[in-house]
Amino acid sequence: MESSTSAILPFLVILLAVSYASSDSFQQNFYKCLNSHISVPLSTCFYTPDNPSFTPLLNSSAQNLRCLLPSVPKPELIFTPLVESDVQAAVICSKQLNMHLRIRSGGHDYEGLSYISEVETPFVVVDMSKLRSISVDIQGNSAWVEAGATVGELYYRIAEKSKIHGYPAGLCTSLGIGGHITGGAYGSMMRKYGLGADNVLDARIVDANGKILDRESMGEDLFWAIRGGGGGSFGILLSWKVKLVPVPETVTVFTVTKMLEEGATKILYKWQQVADKLDEDLFIRVITQVGNGAKEGEKTVSNSYNALFLGGVDRLLQIMGQGFPELGLQRKDCVEMSWLESVLYIAGYPSSVPPEVLLQGKSSFKNYFKAKSDFVKEPIPESGLEGIWKRFLEEDSPLMIWNPYGGMMSKIPESDIPFPHRNGTLFKIQYLTLWGDEDKESPGKHVDWVRKLYNYMSNYVSKFPREAYVNYRDLDLGMNKNGSTDFVQASVWGSKYFKNNFNRLVRIKTKVDPDNFFRHEQSIPTLPTAAKQ
């Protein structure tokens, strides 16, 4: 036994030396190439694992701590471009040196595909966090916003210029605008104005050849694909030109919570029947959690109705009295405020927090979690809801969020942009299970729980395909293997995320990135070779 171990040890030392050497040369080659293309000192934007700033930067915007565990592959280096031409240099050098690239704008990415790679190593992360300028043009009803800025920063800069303008993007204020809009970007004004991606006028991207393109030079096909076709498949988003929308000077918010003991099941059944049909100025989402029951040691399920109304409390009470009296909304439940204050309210900030917190661009939500999504076309019966409650009471920290559709979401055609979940959708479900440090190395029971809940829900949600939201990436739906994207494999999750728009996305991908330079575990594939000819 001893002799075989002693024979193996030198071999391991050689292997380690080779891997360190290759890692060094990988970094050196990239460094040299970048150095020949950019003018700023690389010391300000080039981070290798031996740099003390590397780990804080890698962790900075990552929301899902599951993607930061030591066992998860880390990039060989992180590059933080300071100007657009730096991004071009990163693409040119990666292509020249045959290095795999990942692009991160906000890091909310549920499976961490913007900063980890399970299928290809070594890899480089281009982190867009230093490209965050925002230019608001109130007269032109538009704003240019760079990819690394957060939606909270954008909201703040709009409100700084006008109390009656807004933008209909995400509810979570630390989302990076670059990646957020590539998946659709829904928020509390979606029933009035559609998605963030429905309200884009122009964009600037770096394509697979390292060229900067705007809407005119990229053409309408590629411009269509980047507004909802998912991030990381078509290019690197530099900036969006977004269309501002009118908001009233005074909006109203409320949160009303109902426990099982207060008839929560019947109220939620009614919500399903009316949420998509209420006035499009009203957005009521439902947040389901487990809390303490009436008796000590008992658990119960709570449904919190969390709402934004684009108007004053008097009209809101009238609409609720006619359309959803079962909730029992009262004037004392409602708070009138500015649109910017409502952004903070919906994001879960305490009322004492000033709006300037939005300029920090920090995520207040960092957890170990696994998420999945569904779209619902018919109300789930009370018996089906009771089955959900039973399962919720078996898990430590389950969370479910139901977002209502209808309004403008029903009026925009499915093929308008790649995001296809439109008319006929009552609401979208997001399922999450969260766990703490004590379970970080063995999350199995929690992941199993959310998968079993997802299986249970199969009778109650969309079918053929069972739809999913691309911004809630879910690798359970399948993934590309070994750095290649297989069309047949990808069509499984592609049809769930994009329905009939998937084939058009594939055709565009084949045209603009035939070598599949921009790729990840669930990127859009190119057409098989025979189909290209």
PDB file of all heavy atoms in Angstrom, residues 46-70:
ATOM      1  N   PHE A  46      -8.666  44.123 -13.677  1.00  0.00           N
ATOM      2  CA  PHE A  46      -8.266  42.745 -13.973  1.00  0.00           C
ATOM      3  C   PHE A  46      -8.014  42.031 -12.638  1.00  0.00           C
ATOM      4  O   PHE A  46      -7.139  42.421 -11.879  1.00  0.00           O
ATOM      5  CB  PHE A  46      -6.982  42.783 -14.816  1.00  0.00           C
ATOM      6  CG  PHE A  46      -6.566  41.469 -15.402  1.00  0.00           C
ATOM      7  CD1 PHE A  46      -6.963  41.096 -16.671  1.00  0.00           C
ATOM      8  CD2 PHE A  46      -5.743  40.601 -14.683  1.00  0.00           C
ATOM      9  CE1 PHE A  46      -6.554  39.889 -17.228  1.00  0.00           C
ATOM     10  CE2 PHE A  46      -5.335  39.392 -15.235  1.00  0.00           C
ATOM     11  CZ  PHE A  46      -5.742  39.037 -16.518  1.00  0.00           C
ATOM     12  N   TYR A  47      -8.832  41.014 -12.328  1.00  0.00           N
ATOM     13  CA  TYR A  47      -8.754  40.371 -11.015  1.00  0.00           C
ATOM     14  C   TYR A  47      -8.543  38.861 -11.175  1.00  0.00           C
ATOM     15  O   TYR A  47      -9.359  38.185 -11.804  1.00  0.00           O
ATOM     16  CB  TYR A  47     -10.041  40.603 -10.228  1.00  0.00           C
ATOM     17  CG  TYR A  47     -10.376  42.063 -10.032  1.00  0.00           C
ATOM     18  CD1 TYR A  47     -11.065  42.777 -11.023  1.00  0.00           C
ATOM     19  CD2 TYR A  47      -9.995  42.737  -8.878  1.00  0.00           C
ATOM     20  CE1 TYR A  47     -11.370  44.117 -10.857  1.00  0.00           C
ATOM     21  CE2 TYR A  47     -10.297  44.084  -8.696  1.00  0.00           C
ATOM     22  CZ  TYR A  47     -10.983  44.770  -9.693  1.00  0.00           C
ATOM     23  OH  TYR A  47     -11.283  46.105  -9.528  1.00  0.00           O
ATOM     24  N   THR A  48      -7.462  38.345 -10.606  1.00  0.00           N
ATOM     25  CA  THR A  48      -7.200  36.905 -10.600  1.00  0.00           C
ATOM     26  C   THR A  48      -7.455  36.386  -9.182  1.00  0.00           C
ATOM     27  O   THR A  48      -7.508  37.181  -8.223  1.00  0.00           O
ATOM     28  CB  THR A  48      -5.752  36.618 -11.021  1.00  0.00           C
ATOM     29  OG1 THR A  48      -4.871  37.337 -10.139  1.00  0.00           O
ATOM     30  CG2 THR A  48      -5.498  37.037 -12.451  1.00  0.00           C
ATOM     31  N   PRO A  49      -7.605  35.066  -9.002  1.00  0.00           N
ATOM     32  CA  PRO A  49      -7.938  34.533  -7.671  1.00  0.00           C
ATOM     33  C   PRO A  49      -6.946  34.890  -6.567  1.00  0.00           C
ATOM     34  O   PRO A  49      -7.308  34.873  -5.387  1.00  0.00           O
ATOM     35  CB  PRO A  49      -7.983  33.019  -7.910  1.00  0.00           C
ATOM     36  CG  PRO A  49      -8.358  32.885  -9.353  1.00  0.00           C
ATOM     37  CD  PRO A  49      -7.682  34.029 -10.047  1.00  0.00           C
ATOM     38  N   ASP A  50      -5.686  35.234  -6.913  1.00  0.00           N
ATOM     39  CA  ASP A  50      -4.724  35.593  -5.863  1.00  0.00           C
ATOM     40  C   ASP A  50      -4.815  37.088  -5.495  1.00  0.00           C
ATOM     41  O   ASP A  50      -4.105  37.569  -4.617  1.00  0.00           O
ATOM     42  CB  ASP A  50      -3.284  35.225  -6.267  1.00  0.00           C
ATOM     43  CG  ASP A  50      -2.875  35.839  -7.606  1.00  0.00           C
ATOM     44  OD1 ASP A  50      -3.670  36.607  -8.187  1.00  0.00           O
ATOM     45  OD2 ASP A  50      -1.759  35.528  -8.080  1.00  0.00           O
ATOM     46  N   ASN A  51      -5.713  37.831  -6.163  1.00  0.00           N
ATOM     47  CA  ASN A  51      -5.937  39.234  -5.839  1.00  0.00           C
ATOM     48  C   ASN A  51      -6.927  39.300  -4.665  1.00  0.00           C
ATOM     49  O   ASN A  51      -7.985  38.668  -4.713  1.00  0.00           O
ATOM     50  CB  ASN A  51      -6.510  39.936  -7.083  1.00  0.00           C
ATOM     51  CG  ASN A  51      -6.741  41.421  -6.882  1.00  0.00           C
ATOM     52  OD1 ASN A  51      -7.235  41.848  -5.854  1.00  0.00           O
ATOM     53  ND2 ASN A  51      -6.398  42.199  -7.896  1.00  0.00           N
ATOM     54  N   PRO A  52      -6.617  40.045  -3.586  1.00  0.00           N
ATOM     55  CA  PRO A  52      -7.524  40.086  -2.433  1.00  0.00           C
ATOM     56  C   PRO A  52      -8.931  40.596  -2.758  1.00  0.00           C
ATOM     57  O   PRO A  52      -9.885  40.317  -2.037  1.00  0.00           O
ATOM     58  CB  PRO A  52      -6.818  41.025  -1.443  1.00  0.00           C
ATOM     59  CG  PRO A  52      -5.708  41.688  -2.192  1.00  0.00           C
ATOM     60  CD  PRO A  52      -5.376  40.824  -3.367  1.00  0.00           C
ATOM     61  N   SER A  53      -9.060  41.322  -3.856  1.00  0.00           N
ATOM     62  CA  SER A  53     -10.395  41.844  -4.236  1.00  0.00           C
ATOM     63  C   SER A  53     -11.216  40.842  -5.047  1.00  0.00           C
ATOM     64  O   SER A  53     -12.403  41.083  -5.317  1.00  0.00           O
ATOM     65  CB  SER A  53     -10.240  43.127  -5.057  1.00  0.00           C
ATOM     66  OG  SER A  53      -9.571  44.105  -4.317  1.00  0.00           O
ATOM     67  N   PHE A  54     -10.595  39.723  -5.454  1.00  0.00           N
ATOM     68  CA  PHE A  54     -11.266  38.775  -6.356  1.00  0.00           C
ATOM     69  C   PHE A  54     -12.538  38.199  -5.730  1.00  0.00           C
ATOM     70  O   PHE A  54     -13.620  38.276  -6.315  1.00  0.00           O
ATOM     71  CB  PHE A  54     -10.297  37.643  -6.730  1.00  0.00           C
ATOM     72  CG  PHE A  54     -10.900  36.570  -7.599  1.00  0.00           C
ATOM     73  CD1 PHE A  54     -10.911  36.702  -8.978  1.00  0.00           C
ATOM     74  CD2 PHE A  54     -11.464  35.423  -7.042  1.00  0.00           C
ATOM     75  CE1 PHE A  54     -11.468  35.719  -9.787  1.00  0.00           C
ATOM     76  CE2 PHE A  54     -12.021  34.434  -7.829  1.00  0.00           C
ATOM     77  CZ  PHE A  54     -12.019  34.578  -9.211  1.00  0.00           C
ATOM     78  N   THR A  55     -12.410  37.623  -4.525  1.00  0.00           N
ATOM     79  CA  THR A  55     -13.573  36.970  -3.899  1.00  0.00           C
ATOM     80  C   THR A  55     -14.670  37.964  -3.538  1.00  0.00           C
ATOM     81  O   THR A  55     -15.840  37.718  -3.846  1.00  0.00           O
ATOM     82  CB  THR A  55     -13.136  36.132  -2.687  1.00  0.00           C
ATOM     83  OG1 THR A  55     -12.193  35.151  -3.152  1.00  0.00           O
ATOM     84  CG2 THR A  55     -14.316  35.437  -2.030  1.00  0.00           C
ATOM     85  N   PRO A  56     -14.341  39.116  -2.920  1.00  0.00           N
ATOM     86  CA  PRO A  56     -15.420  40.098  -2.674  1.00  0.00           C
ATOM     87  C   PRO A  56     -16.137  40.535  -3.953  1.00  0.00           C
ATOM     88  O   PRO A  56     -17.352  40.701  -3.959  1.00  0.00           O
ATOM     89  CB  PRO A  56     -14.681  41.281  -2.033  1.00  0.00           C
ATOM     90  CG  PRO A  56     -13.448  40.693  -1.433  1.00  0.00           C
ATOM     91  CD  PRO A  56     -13.070  39.542  -2.319  1.00  0.00           C
ATOM     92  N   LEU A  57     -15.387  40.677  -5.046  1.00  0.00           N
ATOM     93  CA  LEU A  57     -16.008  41.074  -6.311  1.00  0.00           C
ATOM     94  C   LEU A  57     -16.901  39.952  -6.848  1.00  0.00           C
ATOM     95  O   LEU A  57     -18.031  40.198  -7.276  1.00  0.00           O
ATOM     96  CB  LEU A  57     -14.928  41.428  -7.348  1.00  0.00           C
ATOM     97  CG  LEU A  57     -15.424  41.799  -8.754  1.00  0.00           C
ATOM     98  CD1 LEU A  57     -16.346  43.015  -8.720  1.00  0.00           C
ATOM     99  CD2 LEU A  57     -14.246  42.061  -9.691  1.00  0.00           C
ATOM    100  N   LEU A  58     -16.398  38.715  -6.793  1.00  0.00           N
ATOM    101  CA  LEU A  58     -17.185  37.574  -7.266  1.00  0.00           C
ATOM    102  C   LEU A  58     -18.487  37.467  -6.465  1.00  0.00           C
ATOM    103  O   LEU A  58     -19.548  37.200  -7.015  1.00  0.00           O
ATOM    104  CB  LEU A  58     -16.378  36.277  -7.140  1.00  0.00           C
ATOM    105  CG  LEU A  58     -17.074  34.990  -7.606  1.00  0.00           C
ATOM    106  CD1 LEU A  58     -17.342  35.034  -9.114  1.00  0.00           C
ATOM    107  CD2 LEU A  58     -16.263  33.767  -7.243  1.00  0.00           C
ATOM    108  N   ASN A  59     -18.392  37.695  -5.159  1.00  0.00           N
ATOM    109  CA  ASN A  59     -19.554  37.544  -4.281  1.00  0.00           C
ATOM    110  C   ASN A  59     -20.482  38.754  -4.295  1.00  0.00           C
ATOM    111  O   ASN A  59     -21.628  38.669  -3.849  1.00  0.00           O
ATOM    112  CB  ASN A  59     -19.099  37.318  -2.831  1.00  0.00           C
ATOM    113  CG  ASN A  59     -18.305  36.025  -2.670  1.00  0.00           C
ATOM    114  OD1 ASN A  59     -18.109  35.291  -3.631  1.00  0.00           O
ATOM    115  ND2 ASN A  59     -17.839  35.765  -1.465  1.00  0.00           N
ATOM    116  N   SER A  60     -19.986  39.887  -4.818  1.00  0.00           N
ATOM    117  CA  SER A  60     -20.646  41.177  -4.608  1.00  0.00           C
ATOM    118  C   SER A  60     -22.117  41.209  -5.008  1.00  0.00           C
ATOM    119  O   SER A  60     -22.958  41.669  -4.245  1.00  0.00           O
ATOM    120  CB  SER A  60     -19.889  42.289  -5.343  1.00  0.00           C
ATOM    121  OG  SER A  60     -19.881  42.022  -6.736  1.00  0.00           O
ATOM    122  N   SER A  61     -22.444  40.738  -6.185  1.00  0.00           N
ATOM    123  CA  SER A  61     -23.833  40.852  -6.633  1.00  0.00           C
ATOM    124  C   SER A  61     -24.527  39.497  -6.734  1.00  0.00           C
ATOM    125  O   SER A  61     -25.681  39.428  -7.141  1.00  0.00           O
ATOM    126  CB  SER A  61     -23.903  41.584  -7.981  1.00  0.00           C
ATOM    127  OG  SER A  61     -23.220  40.849  -8.971  1.00  0.00           O
ATOM    128  N   ALA A  62     -23.834  38.434  -6.365  1.00  0.00           N
ATOM    129  CA  ALA A  62     -24.443  37.102  -6.443  1.00  0.00           C
ATOM    130  C   ALA A  62     -25.531  36.983  -5.385  1.00  0.00           C
ATOM    131  O   ALA A  62     -25.306  37.236  -4.217  1.00  0.00           O
ATOM    132  CB  ALA A  62     -23.381  36.032  -6.233  1.00  0.00           C
ATOM    133  N   GLN A  63     -26.712  36.601  -5.808  1.00  0.00           N
ATOM    134  CA  GLN A  63     -27.849  36.472  -4.894  1.00  0.00           C
ATOM    135  C   GLN A  63     -27.943  35.086  -4.299  1.00  0.00           C
ATOM    136  O   GLN A  63     -28.330  34.925  -3.158  1.00  0.00           O
ATOM    137  CB  GLN A  63     -29.125  36.703  -5.698  1.00  0.00           C
ATOM    138  CG  GLN A  63     -29.761  38.024  -5.472  1.00  0.00           C
ATOM    139  CD  GLN A  63     -31.239  37.929  -5.762  1.00  0.00           C
ATOM    140  OE1 GLN A  63     -31.670  37.222  -6.657  1.00  0.00           O
ATOM    141  NE2 GLN A  63     -32.034  38.631  -5.008  1.00  0.00           N
ATOM    142  N   ASN A  64     -27.640  34.068  -5.123  1.00  0.00           N
ATOM    143  CA  ASN A  64     -27.832  32.688  -4.687  1.00  0.00           C
ATOM    144  C   ASN A  64     -26.530  32.142  -4.119  1.00  0.00           C
ATOM    145  O   ASN A  64     -25.608  31.789  -4.862  1.00  0.00           O
ATOM    146  CB  ASN A  64     -28.316  31.831  -5.866  1.00  0.00           C
ATOM    147  CG  ASN A  64     -28.874  30.501  -5.397  1.00  0.00           C
ATOM    148  OD1 ASN A  64     -28.654  30.090  -4.250  1.00  0.00           O
ATOM    149  ND2 ASN A  64     -29.595  29.822  -6.268  1.00  0.00           N
ATOM    150  N   LEU A  65     -26.438  32.058  -2.788  1.00  0.00           N
ATOM    151  CA  LEU A  65     -25.198  31.617  -2.137  1.00  0.00           C
ATOM    152  C   LEU A  65     -24.837  30.179  -2.514  1.00  0.00           C
ATOM    153  O   LEU A  65     -23.687  29.771  -2.394  1.00  0.00           O
ATOM    154  CB  LEU A  65     -25.336  31.746  -0.615  1.00  0.00           C
ATOM    155  CG  LEU A  65     -25.595  33.163  -0.096  1.00  0.00           C
ATOM    156  CD1 LEU A  65     -25.742  33.174   1.425  1.00  0.00           C
ATOM    157  CD2 LEU A  65     -24.485  34.121  -0.522  1.00  0.00           C
ATOM    158  N   ARG A  66     -25.822  29.433  -3.007  1.00  0.00           N
ATOM    159  CA  ARG A  66     -25.568  28.071  -3.490  1.00  0.00           C
ATOM    160  C   ARG A  66     -24.527  28.078  -4.617  1.00  0.00           C
ATOM    161  O   ARG A  66     -23.793  27.103  -4.812  1.00  0.00           O
ATOM    162  CB  ARG A  66     -26.905  27.509  -4.000  1.00  0.00           C
ATOM    163  CG  ARG A  66     -26.901  26.104  -4.522  1.00  0.00           C
ATOM    164  CD  ARG A  66     -28.339  25.611  -4.667  1.00  0.00           C
ATOM    165  NE  ARG A  66     -29.146  26.369  -5.593  1.00  0.00           N
ATOM    166  CZ  ARG A  66     -29.252  26.097  -6.889  1.00  0.00           C
ATOM    167  NH1 ARG A  66     -28.590  25.106  -7.433  1.00  0.00           N
ATOM    168  NH2 ARG A  66     -30.042  26.821  -7.665  1.00  0.00           N
ATOM    169  N   CYS A  67     -24.461  29.195  -5.357  1.00  0.00           N
ATOM    170  CA  CYS A  67     -23.546  29.290  -6.505  1.00  0.00           C
ATOM    171  C   CYS A  67     -22.144  29.767  -6.106  1.00  0.00           C
ATOM    172  O   CYS A  67     -21.294  29.947  -6.971  1.00  0.00           O
ATOM    173  CB  CYS A  67     -24.124  30.233  -7.558  1.00  0.00           C
ATOM    174  SG  CYS A  67     -25.734  29.742  -8.151  1.00  0.00           S
ATOM    175  N   LEU A  68     -21.933  29.993  -4.802  1.00  0.00           N
ATOM    176  CA  LEU A  68     -20.625  30.490  -4.345  1.00  0.00           C
ATOM    177  C   LEU A  68     -19.890  29.478  -3.470  1.00  0.00           C
ATOM    178  O   LEU A  68     -18.805  29.769  -2.964  1.00  0.00           O
ATOM    179  CB  LEU A  68     -20.803  31.793  -3.554  1.00  0.00           C
ATOM    180  CG  LEU A  68     -21.363  32.978  -4.337  1.00  0.00           C
ATOM    181  CD1 LEU A  68     -21.622  34.154  -3.405  1.00  0.00           C
ATOM    182  CD2 LEU A  68     -20.427  33.403  -5.466  1.00  0.00           C
ATOM    183  N   LEU A  69     -20.457  28.299  -3.284  1.00  0.00           N
ATOM    184  CA  LEU A  69     -19.813  27.288  -2.438  1.00  0.00           C
ATOM    185  C   LEU A  69     -18.439  26.924  -2.994  1.00  0.00           C
ATOM    186  O   LEU A  69     -18.214  26.984  -4.214  1.00  0.00           O
ATOM    187  CB  LEU A  69     -20.692  26.035  -2.357  1.00  0.00           C
ATOM    188  CG  LEU A  69     -22.007  26.189  -1.581  1.00  0.00           C
ATOM    189  CD1 LEU A  69     -22.879  24.960  -1.763  1.00  0.00           C
ATOM    190  CD2 LEU A  69     -21.737  26.440  -0.110  1.00  0.00           C
ATOM    191  N   PRO A  70     -17.496  26.521  -2.140  1.00  0.00           N
ATOM    192  CA  PRO A  70     -16.138  26.163  -2.605  1.00  0.00           C
ATOM    193  C   PRO A  70     -16.133  25.097  -3.697  1.00  0.00           C
ATOM    194  O   PRO A  70     -15.254  25.080  -4.554  1.00  0.00           O
ATOM    195  CB  PRO A  70     -15.458  25.649  -1.329  1.00  0.00           C
ATOM    196  CG  PRO A  70     -16.214  26.295  -0.216  1.00  0.00           C
ATOM    197  CD  PRO A  70     -17.620  26.440  -0.684  1.00  0.00           C
TER     198      PRO A  70
END
